[in-house]
């Protein structure tokens, strides 16, 4: 049997901002993500995690190496990706429903079909909102929602055009722990239902272990993948699981990797 080609293939990628004398954010970073896999990327602050996300989604070109998604070299912003960031960035003049439907006005083939099939698309957006507990808030504006609710809406916006790839950069970073845990469960449910390929950048190791099939640990800047850990726990995972010794041992193991990576940074800085 022929092994399926990874959905995301990053090979020997380097990225320097600001010309030859600028900041080397990534150096010789390689990783691959299988179709339908949920990968979390963790690492010391400033190690290049967000840079990696920008390269995969085609928002920036890499300085060296190759980024291939769905078998194609990434050389422009990817339309098959949905993205959500720490800041939900909802447009204040649009209702929540219209914010969620925004990608449909931009991404083909939805853009072409939106006028004729508006009712179908609207139903889809409403279903997503209901899935994350926002039924009844469709006609509200962002200022009428809490931070956690806005983040849920931004997750729906990232999913509305059926992206094959979901890119999440600290999407829950600004939220309190209760809201965050609530959203982990909802994201897990959404992923079990829609089965996108997901890359999640997070500082929260518990979040990484709860959500991911595999956690990748990056070195300090210039970033590359230092270690990876497969997460063996069956799904759906429960919040109670995060208190179990096996779960906590994995979190500690990842923390040790990151501490080692940070010590590497200090040693390098001292040279
Ligand atoms: N647009 C930019 N121009 C110049 N340098 C940049 C730019 N974006 C990021 N950098 C630098 O590249 C390095 C990696 O940044 P990046 O945001 O990718 O790290 P990160 O791991 O996501 O950080 P954090 O964990 O703190 O969010 C940092 O030193 C940062 O200062």
């Amino acid at each position: 049997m022929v092994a399926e080609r990874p959905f995301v293939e990053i090979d020997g990628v380097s990225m320097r901002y600001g010309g030859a004398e600028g900041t080397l954010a990534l150096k010789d970073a390689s990783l691959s993500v299988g179709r339908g896999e949920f990968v979390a990327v963790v690492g010391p602050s400033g190690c290049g995690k967000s840079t990696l996300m920008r390269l995969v989604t085609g928002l920036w070109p890499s300085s060296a190496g190759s980024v291939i998604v769905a078998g194609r070299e990434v050389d422009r912003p990817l339309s098959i990706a949905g993205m959500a960031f720490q800041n939900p960035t909802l447009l204040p003049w649009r209702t929540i429903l219209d914010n969620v439907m925004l990608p449909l006005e931009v991404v083909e083939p939805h853009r072409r079909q939106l006028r004729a099939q508006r009712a179908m698309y609207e139903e889809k957006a409403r279903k997503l909102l209901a899935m994350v507990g926002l039924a009844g808030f469709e006609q509200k504006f962002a200022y009428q929602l809490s931070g956690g609710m806005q983040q849920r809406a931004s997750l729906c916006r990232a999913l509305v055009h059926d992206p094959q790839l979901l890119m999440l950069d600290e999407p829950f970073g600004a939220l309190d722990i209760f809201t965050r845990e609530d959203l982990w469960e909802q994201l897990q449910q959404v992923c079990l239902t829609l089965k996108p390929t997901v890359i999640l950048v997070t500082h929260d190791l518990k979040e990484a272990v709860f959500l991911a099939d595999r956690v990748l640990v990056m070195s300090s800047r210039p970033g590359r993948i230092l270690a990876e850990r497969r997460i063996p726990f069956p799904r759906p995972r429960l919040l109670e699981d995060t208190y179990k010794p096996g779960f906590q041992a994995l979190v500690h193991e990842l923390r040790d990797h990151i501490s080692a990576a940070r010590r590497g940074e200090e040693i390098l800085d001292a040279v």
Side-chain angles (χ1 to χ4, degrees):
M1 206 174 82
V2 183
E4 198 188 343
R5 187 175 181 173
F7 190 68
V8 176
E9 301 166 87
I10 298 174
D11 191 20
V13 157
S14 298
M15 171 68 193
R16 188 185 288 279
Y17 289 104
E21 300 301 313
T23 305
L24 185 60
L26 296 173
K27 188 175 177 204
D28 203 18
S30 298
L31 67 105
S32 61
V33 183
R35 187 180 286 275
E37 190 180 17
F38 194 131
V39 161
V41 180
V42 299
S45 184
C47 72
K49 300 182 290 297
S50 298
T51 301
L52 195 64
M53 302 294 263
R54 288 178 202 139
L55 299 187
V56 173
T57 46
L59 298 178
W60 287 78
S62 61
S63 313
S66 74
V67 180
I68 296 174
V69 175
R72 294 180 59 172
E73 185 90 35
V74 175
D75 56 5
R76 70 194 71 171
L78 275 186
S79 62
I80 59 166
M83 297 175 225
F85 306 99
Q86 182 165 348
N87 180 347
T89 62
L90 299 175
L91 299 176
W93 59 88
R94 286 186 156 225
T95 63
I96 295 305
L97 182 67
D98 285 347
N99 264 289
V100 170
M101 291 181 70
L102 188 64
L104 303 170
E105 297 168 20
V106 180
V107 178
E108 296 291 5
H110 310 291
R111 196 166 96 103
R112 241 176 301 132
Q113 299 163 1
L114 183 59
R115 193 186 288 241
Q117 302 194 37
R118 188 161 191 99
M120 180 276 287
Y121 280 119
E122 199 174 301
E123 183 54 26
K124 189 164 180 215
R126 285 177 186 277
K127 269 198 181 138
L128 279 170
L129 283 166
M131 219 189 264
V132 299
L134 286 179
F137 290 89
E138 297 84 355
Q139 299 309 323
K140 302 274 189 220
F141 292 88
Y143 76 89
Q144 296 172 299
L145 269 58
S146 70
M149 292 160 96
Q150 291 185 35
Q151 199 53 271
R152 281 166 221 223
S154 109
L155 200 56
C156 295
R157 183 182 55 189
L159 287 162
V160 76
H161 56 299
D162 290 325
Q164 296 177 53
L165 181 62
L166 184 59
M167 303 291 286
L168 305 174
D169 194 347
E170 283 283 342
F172 312 131
L175 305 174
D176 66 273
I177 183 64
F178 299 109
T179 310
R180 215 183 305 164
E181 289 182 348
D182 196 20
L183 287 183
W184 297 349
E185 287 187 308
Q186 291 180 4
L187 176 60
Q188 171 174 244
Q189 201 46 53
V190 166
C191 290
L192 286 172
T193 310
L194 305 177
K195 300 187 172 55
T197 304
V198 187
I199 303 182
L200 165 76
V201 161
T202 180
H203 283 115
D204 185 336
L205 301 180
K206 216 169 126 186
E207 176 172 299
V209 174
F210 183 82
L211 286 168
D213 298 314
R214 196 155 50 99
V215 180
L216 306 179
V217 182
M218 284 181 75
S219 68
S220 54
R221 187 175 66 77
R224 64 192 165 77
I225 306 302
L226 265 190
E228 72 165 65
R229 191 68 168 84
R230 197 160 282 286
I231 309 300
F233 310 128
R235 296 183 190 276
R237 297 175 187 161
L238 306 173
L239 284 175
E240 296 95 271
D241 295 342
T242 64
Y243 298 101
K244 292 186 177 159
F247 188 100
Q248 302 214 340
L250 263 182
V251 170
H252 283 165
E253 186 188 321
L254 290 168
R255 179 160 292 133
D256 287 346
H257 276 299
I258 294 181
S259 301
R262 294 182 71 213
R263 281 198 300 277
E265 179 183 298
E266 282 160 24
I267 293 162
L268 275 181
D269 282 351
V271 171

